[in-house]
Amino acid sequence: MWPYPQVVAHRGGGILAPENTLAAMQCGLDYGFTAVEFDVMLSKDSVPVLMHDPEFGRTVSGVGKVADTLAADLLKMDAGQWFSEKFCGERVPAYADVVRFCREHKIWMNVEIKPTPGTEAETGAVVARLSKALFADVACSDVRNLPLFSSFSDDALVSAKLHAPDIPRGLLMDQVSEDWLERIAHTGAMALHTNHRYLTPEMARTIRAAGYGLFCYTVNTVERADLIRGWGVDGFCTDRIDLIAADY
Ligand code: G3P
Ligand code: MG
């Protein structure tokens, strides 16, 4: 039922590299991870780039918003220096370049569509259309070689479904909402992605008994991974790629 890897490097290289950069993907790879999660957002001119925060200040310096900045300017920004001097000069990458890198290295991708407020449907559409083109050579039955989209935004997922129906989707929820079944049906998702902290064994059983995949974020100890695996969780992402083995 879950055709994907069980352990996924969160934001590329977890705590070991600046999140959502090509260096992070390389770091995950160096630790044996061939499955990765990262966050995708649109620039002002609707180019998908890897970024978690809608505003500058944490992973890129300065003041401003991703949605107000042209891609040409975003792609010049340093996304590594905040992490350490070693990564100084590491740029904000374009989604298309990360897909090329991951495909070249046979890294499976959980692409989190992270719209800035008000751009939910557009972000879903743009990421889906571009992905459709980037994976045009992969058969829709070959899901292991296609990305899995996920999003906290139902609208983004519905839009992604419309524009790239053959790329599977996972619905992200911090806590599983009471109407999860309706939302998962509405978005046509094959899996529920949720925060392991709020998951209960009963909920895990219910989700899997309903025929959906169950993915958790962000699991950072082997003990916790063992516990939720016992509940039937199919996969999880981790920041601790140094503690949890890729083949766990
Ligand atoms: O996709 C799982 C996880 O990445 C969701 O939360 O904030 O780390 O993107 P966040
Ligand atoms: Mg994410």
Side-chain angles (χ1 to χ4, degrees), residues 79-238:
Q81 191 169 19
W82 71 278
F83 188 84
S84 74
E85 281 305 311
K86 182 183 156 199
F87 292 101
C88 188
E90 187 67 31
R91 305 287 168 198
V92 172
Y95 170 56
D97 290 336
V98 174
V99 169
R100 282 185 205 104
F101 177 90
C102 289
R103 291 202 66 190
E104 188 187 333
H105 295 281
K106 304 207 180 316
I107 300 171
W108 176 76
M109 289 160 266
N110 171 199
V111 178
E112 185 186 338
I113 304 173
K114 212 147 184 98
T116 53
T119 68
E120 288 81 2
E122 192 204 350
T123 307
V126 172
V127 174
R129 283 198 299 261
L130 178 56
S131 303
K132 197 174 167 177
L134 291 168
F135 291 90
D137 57 314
V138 181
C140 59
S141 57
D142 187 10
V143 288
R144 184 62 178 74
N145 285 310
L146 287 173
L148 173 65
F149 291 145
S150 61
S151 187
F152 288 105
S153 164
D154 298 32
D155 289 346
L157 288 180
V158 168
S159 185
K161 179 185 172 192
L162 188 69
H163 292 274
D166 295 331
I167 298 182
R169 293 163 301 281
L171 176 60
L172 267 162
M173 289 183 198
D174 193 36
Q175 299 190 43
V176 180
S177 64
E178 281 188 11
D179 60 351
W180 70 271
L181 205 46
E182 289 147 50
R183 291 177 59 192
I184 210 166
H186 178 60
T187 54
M190 56 79 70
L192 194 83
H193 294 213
T194 194
N195 191 331
H196 73 97
R197 291 175 199 280
Y198 309 118
L199 186 68
T200 62
E202 294 72 30
M203 187 51 77
R205 254 198 308 278
T206 305
I207 293 162
R208 293 194 79 248
Y212 296 103
L214 178 57
F215 184 85
C216 282
Y217 66 90
T218 304
V219 180
N220 290 331
T221 64
V222 172
E223 293 71 25
R224 191 67 185 166
D226 288 346
L227 186 71
I228 63 167
R229 178 185 263 181
W231 297 349
V233 168
D234 294 297
F236 61 86
C237 59
T238 182

Side-chain angles (χ1 to χ4, degrees), residues 10 37 39 112 114:
H10 189 225
E37 183 269 0
D39 308 295
E112 185 186 338
K114 212 147 184 98

